[in-house]
Amino acid sequence: MEAKLASIDGGVGAVCFSTGMAAITAVFLTLLKAGDHLIVSKYLFGNTASLLDTLENFGVEISRVDGTDVQNVIDARQDNTRMVFVESVANPGTQVADMVKIGEFCQQEELVYIVDNTILSACLFKPKAVGASMVIHS
């Protein structure tokens, strides 16, 4: 199943978890540490937003921005920024981040760019095409 998912997304590998929240938690806890900065869309699934509060308790600095305008992401960038996280289509508000320009910015700044593509799935949208470093589905 993991090989098929990687192939569908155009990735080099995949890891399956029992829930989407388990996947998101694993990514954040693996790639971030106290003192790191994470830029996220302020339009996120409720449980993901709650997880961010927990990450802040672990010493990860979080900037919640309106990802529909890449300038907000650019303005939030700090020296300790490691990652940008958006949902392809926000759940439940359906806002759509400026994924192409965010991807270009992340590549330029060498930031990890993670797109939660749960709403659209790989059938409708390929986050790797806009520069996503990682794709999460639930």
Side-chain angles (χ1 to χ4, degrees), residues 96-138:
V96 177
D98 190 347
M99 291 178 284
V100 171
K101 290 182 182 172
I102 292 172
E104 291 168 356
F105 171 72
C106 288
Q107 286 179 340
Q108 173 189 336
E109 298 294 317
E110 299 180 351
L111 300 172
V112 175
Y113 179 31
I114 300 176
V115 176
D116 181 331
N117 198 33
T118 297
I119 297 276
L120 293 181
S121 86
C123 295
L124 298 175
F125 178 67
K126 305 268 190 204
K128 300 287 286 178
V130 296
S133 310
M134 294 180 158
V135 181
I136 295 175
H137 303 280
S138 179

Side-chain angles (χ1 to χ4, degrees), residues 26-76:
V27 167
F28 287 162
L29 293 180
T30 300
L31 298 179
L32 296 169
K33 64 184 182 318
D36 286 343
H37 177 243
L38 167 65
I39 301 170
V40 301
S41 171
K42 69 180 183 178
Y43 307 115
L44 293 175
F45 177 61
N47 289 339
T48 304
S50 294
L51 173 61
L52 297 173
D53 295 337
T54 301
L55 285 178
E56 286 179 314
N57 291 334
F58 291 157
V60 175
E61 189 176 347
I62 312 283
S63 291
R64 294 163 179 85
V65 302
D66 180 347
T68 64
D69 182 349
V70 70
Q71 192 60 50
N72 297 319
V73 175
I74 293 168
D75 292 345

